[in-house]
């Protein structure tokens, strides 16, 4: 999950109070009102030309691509207007997200084909809102230019108040038509990124399971089948040798069953399903090379998906403790805080862990981010290391 912090200036984008004196802000507002007419003339002529020609040529093969090209130019006009409003009116507006076309079945960083890009350009809400802005701004710019120019010579003592009223309308138009829906666009970008992480993670897990089955249990079962075949041939000729082969095959069956159990535990351990996080994490801790104290303070079990993510997160963190920390003791704490499930793994090792240190923590952070989770690493050189993972709480049995 991407964590963002509000700009302190974003809550204070109102211009200073109006005064009779022509201060710097008043002159900026007057300049904006006078520049409205030439700016709107350029924008109006552009959108009229591109939209009308694009609509007229839509029956030909070049009509829709031409319209998409015109809408891309409208995006640039919107960017220029937002910059002018920030400079002269003090309106703080973020730029909309970059337009990215994706086809079905494509992951992150993969653009769609020609028709996907064409449809994305035609359905771009930012460009169409800019076109609407340029259409309705022309008559308004004629009014603001005429009133402001007249006010400079006729009613200049009250012009600051008039300019403030006119520019407030401009501010409302810019915010309403040129301002992106920040939270929605940010959320869409996060979900697109998270979807790619989930797809990549699922594909990697499937490849791991396939590799483990192919290299482990499948190879043992093939050897078992061959051994039993040879034992069958030897059964009448040399019963003693056949008995030895059957005994070896029995050992191979045990090993294959153990590998299948380990593989099933890696997919979803039975103890987690049957007894919950407390027992499952205690089972992991008993196999850790470092003494681990497990504390689970939950009055109820979370949803199965959240419980599974919490289990595998703690499991991988404890594996890192065993392999990399050189710690003497470690602890795992799990608790609920309002609508969040928190897992904290602490060890007294040498510290110095980073998200790009090759310990798999960056992958954990991506997996948690894909489900609106957080991953916080605190590992100064010399230790101790504290990793806090936070997941959304969902009740068991709810979708």
């Amino acid at each position: 999950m991407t964590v963002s912090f509000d700009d302190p200036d974003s809550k204070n984008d109102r211009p200073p109070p109006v005064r009779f004196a022509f201060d710097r802000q008043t002159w900026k507002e007057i300049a904006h009102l006078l520049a409205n007419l030439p700016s709107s003339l350029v924008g109006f002529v552009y959108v009229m030309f591109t939209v009308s020609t694009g609509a007229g040529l839509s029956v030909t093969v070049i009509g829709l691509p031409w319209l998409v090209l015109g809408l891309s130019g409208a995006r640039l006009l919107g960017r220029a207007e937002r910059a002018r409003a920030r400079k002269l009116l003090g309106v703080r507006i973020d730029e909309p997200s970059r337009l990215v076309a994706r086809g079905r079945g494509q992951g992150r960083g993969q653009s769609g084909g020609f028709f996907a890009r064409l449809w994305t350009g035609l359905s771009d809400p930012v460009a169409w809102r800019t076109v609407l802005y340029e259409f309705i701004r022309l008559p308004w710019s004629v009014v603001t230019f005429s009133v402001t120019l007249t006010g400079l010579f006729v009613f200049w003592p009250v012009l600051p108040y008039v300019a403030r009223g006119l520019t407030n309308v401009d501010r409302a138009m810019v915010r309403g038509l040129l301002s992106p829906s920040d939270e929605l666009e940010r959320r869409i970008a996060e979900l697109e990124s998270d979807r790619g992480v989930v797809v990549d993670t699922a594909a990697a897990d499937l490849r791991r399971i396939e590799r483990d089955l192919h290299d482990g249990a499948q190879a043992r079962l093939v050897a078992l089948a061959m051994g039993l075949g040879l034992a069958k041939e030897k059964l009448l000729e040399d019963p003693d040798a056949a008995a030895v082969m059957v005994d070896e095959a029995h050992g191979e069956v045990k090993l294959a069953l153990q590998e299948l159990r380990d593989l099933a535990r890696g997919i979803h351990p039975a103890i987690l399903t049957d007894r919950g996080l407390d027992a499952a994490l205690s089972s992991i801790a008993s196999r850790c090379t470092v003494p681990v104290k497990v504390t689970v303070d939950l009055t109820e079990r979370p949803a199965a998906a959240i419980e599974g993510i919490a289990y595998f997160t703690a499991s991988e963190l404890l594996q890192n403790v065993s392999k990399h920390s050189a710690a003497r003791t470690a602890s795992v704490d799990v608790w609920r805080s309002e609508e969040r499930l928190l897992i904290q793994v602490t060890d007294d090792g040498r510290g110095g862990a980073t998200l790009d240190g090759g310990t798999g923590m960056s992958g954990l952070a991506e997996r948690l981010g894909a489900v609106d989770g957080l991953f916080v690493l605190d590992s100064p050189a010399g230790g101790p290391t504290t990793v806090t993972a936070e997941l959304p709480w969902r009740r068991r049995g709810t979708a």
Side-chain angles (χ1 to χ4, degrees):
M1 177 180 183
T2 304
V3 181
S4 61
F5 299 93
D6 290 334
D7 183 356
D9 293 333
S10 64
K11 300 182 183 299
N12 190 24
D13 60 351
R14 294 181 179 179
V18 186
R19 297 183 298 172
F20 279 104
F22 282 50
D23 58 5
R24 182 179 179 183
Q25 182 59 41
T26 300
W27 283 116
K28 284 185 176 182
E29 292 176 347
I30 292 173
H32 176 85
L33 294 171
L34 292 176
N36 268 352
L37 183 59
S39 173
S40 63
L41 281 173
V42 172
F44 183 82
V45 170
Y46 174 83
V47 297
M48 279 294 296
F49 175 73
T50 56
V51 172
S52 60
T53 54
L57 294 173
S58 60
V59 294
T60 67
V61 294
I62 66 170
L64 294 181
W66 173 260
L67 184 57
V68 170
L69 186 63
L71 291 174
S72 300
R75 262 186 166 249
L76 297 179
L77 285 176
R79 180 184 301 176
E81 287 301 318
R82 283 188 292 271
R84 189 165 73 98
R86 282 193 292 266
K87 183 73 174 177
L88 298 178
L89 300 183
V91 180
R92 301 183 184 275
I93 307 175
D94 293 332
E95 293 297 324
S97 302
R98 186 173 62 91
L99 202 61
V100 178
R102 288 197 181 116
R104 288 186 177 181
Q106 292 174 317
R108 290 177 299 168
Q110 295 179 326
S111 297
F114 171 76
F115 290 104
R117 292 195 296 271
L118 186 68
W119 173 249
T120 303
L122 288 174
S123 59
D124 179 16
V126 174
W128 283 112
R129 281 191 278 119
T130 304
V131 169
L132 178 61
Y133 174 80
E134 297 294 350
F135 266 120
I136 66 177
R137 195 166 63 104
L138 180 61
W140 172 249
S141 66
V142 173
V143 174
T144 59
F145 180 85
S146 303
V147 171
T148 306
L149 189 62
T150 305
L152 284 173
F153 298 98
V154 179
F155 52 87
W156 57 266
V158 295
L159 182 57
Y161 296 93
V162 176
R164 177 59 54 84
L166 295 176
T167 52
N168 280 342
V169 177
D170 275 335
R171 290 183 178 96
M173 291 173 60
V174 170
R175 286 194 181 102
L177 294 176
L178 300 184
S179 176
S181 51
D182 295 336
E183 189 59 33
L184 178 59
E185 291 220 352
R186 188 182 301 115
R187 186 62 181 153
I188 290 173
E190 288 177 1
L191 290 175
E192 287 179 346
S193 176
D194 293 346
R195 179 185 62 185
V197 172
V198 171
V199 170
D200 294 344
T201 301
D205 288 341
L206 287 175
R207 288 194 298 269
R208 176 182 60 81
I209 294 170
E210 181 184 11
R211 183 177 63 251
D212 291 344
L213 284 172
H214 182 271
D215 297 341
Q218 180 180 339
R220 291 195 180 279
L221 291 174
V222 170
L224 172 63
M226 294 175 62
L228 288 175
L230 292 173
K232 181 180 178 181
E233 294 177 0
K234 292 278 187 179
L235 186 59
L236 296 178
E237 300 175 2
D238 189 353
D240 293 335
V244 172
M245 290 180 179
V246 170
D247 187 59
E248 291 177 353
H250 184 246
E252 288 290 330
V253 169
K254 289 182 178 179
L255 292 174
L257 286 174
Q258 183 60 42
E259 289 186 356
L260 287 174
R261 288 192 192 99
D262 293 339
L263 181 61
R265 186 183 295 115
I267 299 172
H268 196 84
I271 190 173
L272 178 63
T273 303
D274 298 337
R275 300 173 57 189
L277 274 175
D278 196 352
L281 294 180
S282 297
S283 177
I284 298 174
S286 66
R287 299 194 299 269
C288 187
T289 59
V290 176
V292 180
K293 179 183 177 182
V294 177
T295 304
V296 178
D297 183 14
L298 296 176
T299 57
E300 60 179 317
R301 294 177 63 178
I306 299 299
E307 193 175 58
I309 295 172
Y311 170 83
F312 287 111
T313 299
S315 176
E316 189 156 346
L317 290 174
L318 286 179
Q319 288 181 20
N320 287 336
V321 171
S322 297
K323 294 178 182 178
H324 307 290
S325 70
R328 295 184 300 273
T329 60
S331 65
V332 179
D333 295 286
V334 181
W335 72 98
R336 177 183 177 182
S337 177
E338 295 180 353
E339 295 305 309
R340 308 292 284 182
L341 176 66
L342 291 100
I343 307 105
Q344 190 170 80
V345 178
T346 306
D347 68 76
D348 59 356
R350 60 192 172 197
T354 61
L355 289 177
D356 55 356
T359 57
M361 290 196 179
S362 59
L364 277 178
E366 288 183 352
R367 290 190 183 193
L368 290 172
V371 292
D372 284 344
L374 289 174
F375 187 86
V376 180
L377 172 64
D378 180 19
S379 183
T385 296
T386 301
V387 180
T388 304
E390 183 178 328
L391 291 164
W393 178 273
R394 287 200 284 269
R395 292 182 178 276
R396 201 167 190 82
T398 57

